[in-house]
Amino acid sequence: MNGTTSFAAASGINNITFDPGVKMNYSSGEIPVLAKEAQDSANASLNTIANIPPEYRTFENTVIAFDSVMTDYSDAMSPMTLVGDIFPDPEVLAEGLGAKDSYNSFLNDVYTREDLYNAMKGQTAGNPVEQRLYDVVMEEFDKNGLGLSGDKTAVIRDMKTNLSSLETKYNYNINSDDSVVEFTKEELAGISQSDLNKFDRTADKNYSVKLNYPNYAIVMKYADDENARKRAYIAYSNIEADKNTKLIEEAISLRTRIAEEMGYSTWAEYVLSDRMAKNVSNVMDFLNSIKEPLSEKNDEEMKKLLEVKKSIDSNATTVFPWDKVYLSNILKENEYSYDEEKLKSYFPYGSVLNGVFDTCGKLFGVNFIKVENASVWSPDVSLYEVTNSSDGKVLGYLYVDPYVRDGKYTGAAAEMVITGREKNGEYVKPVAVIIGNFEKPQNGRPSLLSVSDIETLFHETGHSLHIILSKSPYGTLSGYNVDFDFTETPSQTLEEWAWDPEILELMSGKYDKPSEKIPDSLLKSVISARDFGKGISYSSQLMYSLVDMYYHNSTVPVNTTNVWNSTYEEVFGEGLPVLIHPQATFPHLMGGYDAGYYGYLWSKVYALDIDEKFKEYGMTNETLGLKLRDDIYSKGNTEDNMVLLENFLGEKPGVDALYDYLGLNTPDET
Ligand SMILES: [Zn+2]
């Protein structure tokens, strides 16, 4: 039966609200009870698996059953953990955050259970996908120290607990930091009154600027006084330096000891063993291979910035770190001047979302159909049914929660709420949610988006399609449950569509006169302005990736400040002019991206490789789109991720596409 028709019968006609199997209405006190029930039920099923007598044990009733229990558990918990990001009622939202903690600690308990590990160890898979499931599940146990002698497992568990408390302290220090820098009004010349109003005033009428990122960004972008920017830079780069430098160095030493106990030479080798990159030497080869094009582009841009600085001060000889954003902004205004507000007036949220769905829909052979009468957690939220264009079959559902709201998660994200997989002879329809933070409609005017907002929408739609197009039979291998360093490839791949002039033109339409498309000249300046700064910003990404690898690929204690300095010099060709400790405010390295920061660049380079094919054969080439769907988006983690990528590309990935992206000549192939 056609999914859309069946839905209309289920909801529209009878005026019953519809939900795709996701409970999203909670009253206070409900979540802790439901979370406990989900955990008890999972525990009971896991005990059953562990207690199967050896003679009755099979791959199906053990490994596949384990996957099924764990996916049931995550499907039960995900709507509640999502509540912790988006729910309007603060009390319920806090319970959602509690559900997240209990979810994480339950996973920890499960993957350190010796009985489950022993039950699964040595089970024989019947086909390659089963083998992949087995490998991925066992890897998770192995990484927790199972399979080592009993004492060692306990030692490792203790060290991991200590590590996570160091990470918690570090992040707590950052979140509760209240450093300020004081400026006179003269020192802040160049900053608009509406931005100045965001700063506190002191008794003597000065400005007391709290050092959070938005405030810091304002000073760095607009303050004309170089010395004011320098003071802000030094203060910002030394936040929590005393406490957090110690904590991160302790964490790095502890990680090294854990890795040694686990039989790895360094923490990076331990972390990378189950990543797409596989080992340190692959990551270092990759980072070194992009060093040259990035440094070429960085130097080219820094030269231009020096010219801008000389036009302000003819004696200037150096562009300092605190000058980069300020001078880039002036350069962009001079060279590509366009009015951001005018630009946004051509991109009201509703038309953009339709444009994104149309573009992706044609490319991947799907339709996004808005579900009326959907049960949602806020009137801002819409639910879409995603169907196959070829046969109308319902593939899954997508919630979109676009606008900024008090208490809501402040970034953009896509989350998997229900996991696609086979269950009781049917395919469970995946459910994804996009969380945005676009401005709210106001005074009868719709929310208006910038091109980088449109890029964000494509990015999160990429994650969502990775979830919804899944054909994996097992939850563990479904959707975006891929290697950590491959997760951002399907999302970053779609970013290029946001910068395609034809697509932008097509989705544009003035909010108060939809037939009026964006003028060609405006479109051209927006697109060319995008390119400046890529060298500088990607060089910074490279530097952070290298710092992370140097910190975590050492067998001896690391002086994090010295390594930061020498890596800065390695990438930018000159040392830092002042003493700073940015490693004290680098939460990635104390929250899951340790020996993993390279993943951003790694996924981006592969995304660009995929984009290159579309640039060659057409950004709206449907044959290629379906191939991308079949080779990567529908596959989840059912095969080695590099194999998936190479199947689509028809060759090994390389860095040529990055050269193109940076506007550099591709080096002769050797
Ligand atoms: Zn992402």
Side-chain angles (χ1 to χ4, degrees), residues 342-397:
K342 185 172 177 207
L343 168 82
K344 286 164 74 175
S345 71
Y346 290 97
F347 296 110
Y349 167 74
S351 325
V352 171
L353 188 71
N354 285 339
V356 171
F357 282 176
D358 266 2
T359 308
C360 297
K362 286 199 188 105
L363 207 56
F364 290 97
V366 296
N367 289 312
F368 294 81
I369 302 160
K370 189 168 178 188
V371 175
E372 304 299 337
N373 298 326
S375 161
V376 291
W377 54 93
S378 152
D380 295 346
V381 181
S382 304
L383 177 67
Y384 296 83
E385 186 180 63
V386 183
T387 63
N388 243 342
S389 324
S390 57
D391 57 9
K393 197 177 119 203
V394 180
L395 297 169
Y397 292 89

Side-chain angles (χ1 to χ4, degrees), residues 176-196:
S176 58
D177 182 86
D178 51 10
S179 309
V180 295
V181 197
E182 205 177 305
F183 295 106
T184 61
K185 188 168 168 62
E186 293 69 45
E187 285 177 305
L188 295 185
I191 299 177
S192 71
Q193 191 56 49
S194 68
D195 277 338
L196 285 176

